[in-house]
Amino acid sequence: MIDLFDRLSRPLMRALDPEDAHALAIKALRYVPVSRRAADPSELAVRAFGLNFPNPVGLAAGFDKNAQVPDALLRLGFGFVEVGTVTPLPQAGNPRPRLFRLDSDEGVINRLGFNSEGATAALGRLAARGNEGGIVGVNIGANRDSVDRAGDYARLVESFAPVASYFTVNVSSPNTPGLRDLQQAKALDDLLARVLDAREQARRRSGPVPVLLKIAPDLALNDLDDAVGIARKHRVDGMIVGNTTIARPGSLRERDKAKEAGGLSGRPLFKLATRMLAETFVRAEGAFPLIGAGGIDSGPTAIAKIKAGATLVQLYTGLVFRGIGVVSEIKTDLLAALKRGHRNSLASMVGSDAADITAESWPS
Ligand SMILES: Cc1cc2nc3c(=O)[nH]c(=O)nc-3n(C[C@H](O)[C@H](O)[C@H](O)COP(=O)(O)O)c2cc1C
């Protein structure tokens, strides 16, 4: 059924403006049957941040920004879904066009700029889920015009704590001017102090909700040293590596579209994001688990992320080019890899290639 839906819908979606295609996909997901999802094989289960993931394949932030369809996405086979980025107040984002498909590169450039219905709308939807179950993380960000950006994150943590399986502190989107400066040592130290303090405030009501930090793949390695050091000092529960890149690899074929401002995702991001993941893994020294994102569109790319240091993976752009069937394809390939290696869990594969990857020449 998923396969059929994919085959029928993909030519139509590709013919549409990318943003219209996305809006249509969200509408269509409302009609996913409310049947129980098939259970994943126990070998794919992952325990991380104190949560039990049925499988390690998650939907990355940005697809369901306003928490409209997390349960439909879980029923389609994702092991977890990250909604957001949610900002405290509604905001329109940048003017259209602001989303570009680089078809021959299997990449996307976006400069959406945190278009968000705001916290109240997303919170209402997540609260209405009740006890649906499933892991739904909430990715949080600051309003573009905020005068106290750290305060925005802290307030979102306090209000979403009762409904979030985990939080992602997104300081890595390239489309809100100055946002990525929050990755610099002093600003990051202050931000994490306030976020974790807010988590403490909410703890009595909501228990200890895990807090993850999502970074850009464009960080210089000395800034990565700082970011990982500060994350460790504050005992964050994990990191996501990472967001879209402002770099434009020389190999891109869609030269005109490559000139559009914004963050590049998908296949052309894979090498850089995987290198940064391995660099983060060697610096984290097992202090917390990592989620690998950037260019996953198949079983082999998901396995490469795990070997580079990812305990869990996330994808978004791979869905655009491969359709939802890519999720079950990845799960099948992960099971086959476990069988081949006579392993009964993915944990022993995590980071097995990280040292080798960090010794390679820097990806161009
Ligand atoms: C259209 C689009 C919108 C995105 N919006 C967000 C967002 O709101 N917050 C965020 O943290 N990441 C956002 N991302 C980044 C993704 O979550 C992911 O980190 C990145 O795209 C790399 O994964 P991919 O190559 O599988 O797409 C967005 C990506 C795309 C393509």
Side-chain angles (χ1 to χ4, degrees):
M1 153 115 175
I2 288 174
D3 189 45
L4 185 69
F5 177 76
D6 260 3
R7 264 188 288 150
L8 293 176
S9 63
R10 255 188 295 159
L12 167 72
M13 300 294 258
R14 297 283 277 276
L16 290 176
D17 163 82
E19 204 166 336
D20 292 339
H22 175 257
L24 190 63
I26 295 274
K27 274 207 184 106
L29 282 163
R30 297 224 181 92
Y31 299 101
V32 173
V34 192
S35 55
R36 273 170 69 91
R37 59 176 275 168
D40 288 309
S42 60
E43 299 95 307
L44 291 184
V46 174
R47 185 164 171 82
F49 330 121
L51 302 175
N52 292 314
F53 295 77
N55 75 70
V57 187
L59 177 66
F63 182 84
D64 190 5
K65 283 182 185 270
N66 298 300
Q68 289 171 290
V69 285
D71 293 301
L73 290 159
L74 289 168
R75 286 198 296 277
L76 288 174
F78 283 108
F80 62 112
V81 169
E82 188 168 311
V83 300
T85 293
V86 177
T87 57
L89 301 174
Q91 60 177 30
N94 290 319
R96 285 174 77 164
R98 52 191 182 173
L99 186 56
F100 306 89
R101 227 172 23 224
L102 282 65
D103 283 322
S104 36
D105 299 304
E106 301 207 2
V108 162
I109 291 177
N110 93 80
R111 54 167 179 270
L112 294 171
F114 285 174
N115 49 322
S116 171
E117 290 179 13
T120 307
L123 188 56
R125 290 184 187 119
L126 292 175
R129 291 182 67 229
N131 291 327
E132 278 271 344
I135 295 178
V136 178
V138 179
N139 180 304
I140 54 176
N143 277 114
R144 184 188 171 104
D145 298 329
S146 170
V147 289
D148 177 16
R149 287 189 163 164
D152 280 13
Y153 290 87
R155 272 198 307 283
L156 288 167
V157 167
E158 285 199 32
S159 46
F160 279 81
V163 297
S165 304
Y166 68 85
F167 285 109
T168 297
V169 176
N170 176 14
V171 285
S172 46
S173 286
N175 304 309
T176 296
L179 188 91
R180 292 183 310 159
D181 296 344
L182 292 172
Q183 294 174 114
Q184 299 300 316
K186 170 81 177 74
L188 186 62
D189 199 23
D190 291 347
L191 173 65
L192 290 180
R194 287 185 71 178
V195 162
L196 293 167
D197 189 46
R199 195 247 313 255
E200 275 316 295
Q201 299 300 324
R203 182 187 282 264
R204 221 173 307 137
R205 266 188 308 146
S206 316
V209 184
V211 169
L212 318 182
L213 175 68
K214 182 170 181 179
I215 60 168
D218 304 318
L219 278 185
L221 289 180
N222 58 325
D223 290 331
L224 182 65
D225 291 340
D226 288 346
V228 175
I230 292 164
R232 289 179 67 169
K233 176 182 121 182
H234 287 280
R235 297 174 186 254
V236 303
D237 298 276
M239 285 177 66
I240 304 183
V241 189
N243 217 307
T244 57
T245 179
I246 55 169
R248 297 290 180 266
S251 56
L252 286 177
R253 282 188 264 172
E254 302 248 7
R255 289 267 131 224
D256 281 344
K257 284 195 184 149
K259 291 183 194 135
E260 295 291 348
L264 172 69
S265 58
R267 191 171 272 195
L269 169 60
F270 179 77
K271 274 196 190 145
L272 173 65
T274 306
R275 175 63 180 260
M276 284 301 277
L277 173 66
E279 297 283 355
T280 308
F281 181 82
V282 298
R283 286 163 175 76
E285 298 176 309
F288 42 63
L290 306 177
I291 300 182
I296 295 173
D297 60 1
S298 63
T301 49
I303 292 168
K305 287 282 187 208
I306 293 170
K307 290 184 170 171
T311 293
L312 299 159
V313 297
Q314 285 180 327
L315 62 113
Y316 180 167
T317 308
L319 273 189
V320 174
F321 293 100
R322 305 272 148 201
I324 190 72
V326 71
V327 178
S328 57
E329 184 192 314
I330 292 173
K331 292 195 280 187
T332 304
D333 283 8
L334 289 177
L335 278 174
L338 286 174
K339 215 174 219 170
R340 270 197 311 277
H342 305 287
R343 305 170 201 253
N344 54 15
S345 96
L346 294 164
S348 59
M349 280 162 64
V350 174
S352 59
D353 287 349
D356 289 347
I357 293 171
T358 57
E360 290 168 5
S361 58
W362 197 260
S364 54

